[in-house]
Amino acid sequence: MGSEELLLEAGKSEELAAALHTLSETEVNGEPKYTPAICREIGKMIVCRTYATPLLELCHLIAAASQLSGPKGRYEYFFWDSGLARSGSFYAYCKQNLIARPTDSLSLNQQALTLHLSDTNFAIQFGRMPVLSALLEFLLTSIGYSELDETLQAVARKTPKKQEVSACANELSRQLYAYLKDHLPTAQSQRKYRQILAYCENDVSTITDPLILDFWQDASRETDKSSDFKTFESVTLGFIRLIQAVEGAEDLAALRHTASIGMDRDAGEIDPNMLSQTLDTVQETLSPLLKLAEEPMAQIKFLNKLEAQNLEHLLNAGTLALRLPLSILRCNVFAKPQARLTQALRAKASPEDLQAIIAAGPEETYQDRQIAYQNLIAQIQRSLYASLYALSQNRRREAISLLLKLAPGIDFTPLGTHLIDREVGDNVVTLQQSTIADHFMTILKDENEVGADIAEVMSQAETAYKGMSRKGFKEAAHTQSDRSEAYIEGANLLFEISQDIEAYLERLEGLPLAGNGWQAQFSHDRATFSTQFSHIYGSPS
């Protein structure tokens, strides 16, 4: 399965996927009514929205089928009584019924059934009838019988004119379009991704930072407004979403062709735990920023608006940030000057004003951006320490786990003597949870009890909390027990975010750079972007 097919597969809603799957399960006398090739053709026709011509063919076939049936106008008999959807079955059905009920409006030969309308003739190939039959089956499932039949009666009640058949096909197309609007990506989005796929030769594994930059330089100068390739930011996001969709669909496709689920690996069975993990990864990545905005974390301002904006490109890319590190960096640095150009263009700025914005360049360099990420790590660290203090003040045992994460290298031996019960037996040690809850504050504040290292960490936690002036940290910590779950879940997310930033910065350190340094790389890219901005927004006359 190619990348385009995988992308289309990933874009289908569960309801649409089920409707298409119904075709493969439809049987006649225990045999599949439609061949796998027909089911694939219908699937591609629907998701690619190439159904206009087939719908016109179908409406002509409905008109012909209505002439063939015993009760005039009941086209269903043609599709339901002809057996398996094969060209030979349809030929035999048509021949038999024309012998039984001859009509001047129909004629046939070995290849086609011809419908003689009052103002034209239309031949329907028997080889096309299995596909048109499957298309009707899909319409019955998606649009529904009542609405579909009401539309088709315009060509079923009588021998229609050419214009009436076209009108019926247009109405079906409108109804199908309305249905697919809620179950497929937009046609514009599909065109956009097909263009990207064509550029990477239908193989997302070839997508790299240089390829994204080359694509933007080519596509951003096109006059087609529907593609939305003007901004480097939109191009990078398009490539990232494409890779995520294709890789997700690959996982799903692999699952559909695997053996049964079970624990016997020698028999080729899939571990159900692994299956659950794989299905979870197929879902669209939910950025930690979005999770922080959910309850209960929304009760606390772990990150302010600017900090969240600075992390948006990195975190939305997920693991792809490590694969496309320069593209993420370029988005961070050059998206703002391009946004200023777009706004100036809307305000009908002069060519000289536009060129002045281009000449001014970005407000930060690549080195500035990396320092900003390091500052974000420091801010996250402060939020984590502040959360530790809030949890300890409210006697939550989760503070121990957070303490271990924040200071894994310090000596915890003194604390251990307060957290175990040695009276159970010579060889048994158990956590005394009630003791932790009752004496947590006393233990962690007393240097003589817990040692200097732990006391120092708790002192830093108190300083961090009292130094924060954000929502969730302003009030006295011991009054925040109702926000404990927010501190706990938020801290876990902040750790993930911090690890993502650190991994990204480490990835940047190992990159081969133009001129062997970040200053040279920035100068090279600034010249590239300035030239491209001039091409897109015009140079002064």
Side-chain angles (χ1 to χ4, degrees):
M1 188 180 293
S3 292
E4 181 175 4
E5 291 172 291
L6 287 166
L7 178 63
L8 294 173
E9 185 74 18
K12 291 186 291 189
S13 71
E14 291 184 8
E15 181 179 327
L16 176 56
L20 291 169
H21 184 64
T22 298
L23 292 178
S24 63
E25 295 187 327
T26 303
E27 296 183 345
V28 174
N29 298 326
E31 292 186 57
K33 183 174 183 178
Y34 306 106
T35 65
I38 291 173
C39 295
R40 285 195 298 271
E41 183 170 350
I42 294 297
K44 191 169 185 179
M45 180 193 302
I46 295 303
V47 296
C48 293
R49 289 184 168 90
T50 56
Y51 46 73
T53 298
L55 286 176
L56 183 62
E57 291 180 278
L58 177 61
C59 288
H60 280 95
L61 183 56
I62 294 294
S66 300
Q67 299 293 322
L68 285 169
S69 66
K72 288 294 183 180
R74 299 321 309 169
Y75 54 88
E76 300 96 325
Y77 291 89
F78 175 84
F79 299 96
W80 295 344
D81 292 351
S82 52
L84 300 178
R86 309 290 187 269
S87 58
S89 301
F90 287 116
Y91 171 76
Y93 182 88
C94 292
K95 183 176 181 180
Q96 177 182 345
N97 280 271
L98 278 178
I99 292 174
R101 286 178 293 277
T103 173
D104 294 336
S105 61
L106 295 173
S107 62
L108 63 76
N109 56 35
Q110 292 285 341
Q111 285 74 41
L113 175 69
T114 300
L115 174 65
H116 303 287
L117 304 176
S118 59
D119 51 354
T120 189
N121 296 327
F122 192 93
I124 308 147
Q125 302 293 320
F126 288 113
R128 285 289 293 165
M129 290 183 186
V131 174
L132 300 178
S133 173
L135 177 58
L136 178 65
E137 191 88 40
F138 172 78
L139 294 175
L140 287 168
T141 304
S142 56
I143 295 176
Y145 176 80
S146 296
E147 188 174 355
L148 181 65
D149 184 63
E150 184 178 349
T151 301
L152 294 177
Q153 284 304 313
V155 296
R157 288 191 302 265
K158 59 180 181 178
T159 302
K161 295 181 179 179
K162 177 181 178 181
Q163 185 176 359
E164 292 173 318
V165 179
S166 296
C168 181
N170 289 337
E171 175 59 19
L172 281 184
S173 184
R174 185 195 65 78
Q175 293 172 357
L176 184 53
Y177 179 86
Y179 170 80
L180 294 176
K181 184 171 61 176
D182 297 326
H183 301 285
L184 275 179
T186 64
Q188 177 181 342
S189 175
Q190 288 186 349
R191 286 195 299 272
K192 176 179 179 178
Y193 287 125
R194 286 198 195 101
Q195 188 172 344
I196 295 176
L197 275 171
Y199 198 84
C200 64
E201 298 181 345
N202 204 37
D203 184 1
V204 297
S205 67
T206 65
I207 295 174
T208 59
D209 286 321
L211 185 140
I212 291 176
L213 183 61
D214 289 345
F215 177 89
W216 175 65
Q217 289 178 288
D218 290 343
S220 61
R221 301 175 66 176
E222 295 179 0
T223 57
D224 181 10
K225 295 182 180 180
S226 65
S227 61
D228 187 29
F229 290 134
K230 283 289 186 290
T231 68
F232 183 80
E233 185 178 30
S234 67
V235 167
T236 301
L237 181 61
F239 273 92
I240 287 173
R241 290 290 177 260
L242 174 68
I243 297 171
Q244 289 172 337
V246 170
E247 289 182 348
E250 285 176 337
D251 289 339
L252 284 175
L255 289 174
R256 290 190 183 117
H257 293 88
T258 51
S260 59
I261 298 172
M263 303 302 293
D264 188 350
R265 294 189 178 184
D266 293 336
E269 293 182 338
I270 301 177
D271 185 335
N273 296 321
M274 183 182 298
L275 178 63
S276 297
Q277 294 169 5
T278 304
L279 287 173
D280 287 341
T281 61
V282 169
Q283 302 302 317
E284 183 176 353
T285 302
L286 182 62
S287 168
L289 295 177
L290 296 179
K291 293 180 182 178
L292 281 176
E294 297 177 349
E295 293 294 338
M297 287 83 76
Q299 301 173 30
I300 300 171
K301 198 166 205 173
F302 291 105
L303 297 172
N304 63 29
K305 184 177 181 180
L306 179 59
E307 291 161 351
Q309 287 176 345
N310 285 336
L311 286 169
E312 190 172 357
H313 292 117
L314 172 60
L315 297 182
N316 285 346
T319 57
L320 292 178
L322 303 182
R323 172 175 165 183
L324 304 169
L326 264 182
S327 295
I328 300 301
L329 201 57
R330 286 164 176 159
C331 275
N332 284 322
V333 172
F334 291 102
K336 291 179 181 178
Q338 187 164 19
R340 291 196 295 271
L341 285 166
T342 301
Q343 292 169 359
L345 197 63
R346 290 172 181 165
K348 302 186 184 305
S350 67
E352 289 78 11
D353 289 338
L354 293 172
Q355 194 60 31
I357 295 174
I358 295 172
E363 297 174 347
E364 61 179 349
T365 67
Y366 289 159
Q367 291 165 307
D368 292 334
R369 168 52 53 168
Q370 292 176 66
I371 292 173
Y373 278 134
Q374 291 166 354
N375 291 337
L376 281 167
I377 293 175
Q379 174 55 42
I380 289 173
Q381 195 79 350
R382 284 191 289 272
S383 294
L384 287 169
Y385 271 89
S387 297
L388 170 61
Y389 181 72
L391 291 173
S392 66
Q393 287 286 307
N394 289 285
R395 301 177 181 275
R396 291 298 298 257
R397 288 187 293 273
E398 290 84 355
I400 290 291
S401 299
L402 185 51
L403 178 63
L404 291 169
K405 287 182 178 179
L406 285 170
I410 65 174
D411 183 12
F412 286 95
T413 304
L415 182 62
T417 61
H418 297 277
L419 303 180
I420 59 176
D421 181 0
R422 300 186 182 278
E423 297 179 1
V424 178
D426 293 338
N427 300 318
V428 180
V429 176
T430 61
L431 285 177
Q432 258 192 359
Q433 295 184 353
S434 61
T435 301
I436 297 173
D438 294 339
H439 303 292
F440 196 50
M441 285 297 299
T442 304
I443 292 172
L444 291 181
K445 277 190 169 184
D446 191 340
E447 181 177 336
N448 295 325
E449 294 287 349
V450 300
D453 288 349
I454 294 177
E456 174 61 24
V457 172
M458 295 310 301
S459 176
Q460 293 175 9
E462 182 176 3
T463 300
Y465 188 94
K466 293 181 177 179
M468 300 276 278
S469 58
R470 302 182 180 187
K471 175 184 174 183
F473 299 106
K474 294 179 181 179
E475 303 81 2
H478 69 274
T479 67
Q480 302 301 296
S481 59
D482 59 329
R483 290 177 171 170
S484 291
E485 295 303 321
Y487 291 118
I488 295 166
E489 294 183 34
N492 289 332
L493 277 174
L494 290 178
F495 264 110
E496 291 179 17
I497 292 172
S498 182
Q499 289 172 348
D500 288 343
I501 301 173
E502 290 174 351
Y504 179 68
L505 289 174
E506 185 177 345
R507 178 73 178 91
L508 290 178
E509 289 181 2
L511 285 181
L513 303 174
N516 296 320
W518 281 112
Q519 185 174 351
Q521 181 69 54
F522 174 72
S523 298
H524 175 272
D525 284 1
R526 178 173 177 175
T528 299
F529 276 80
S530 294
T531 299
Q532 193 64 16
F533 288 159
S534 293
H535 287 318
I536 298 171
Y537 302 102
S539 300
S541 55

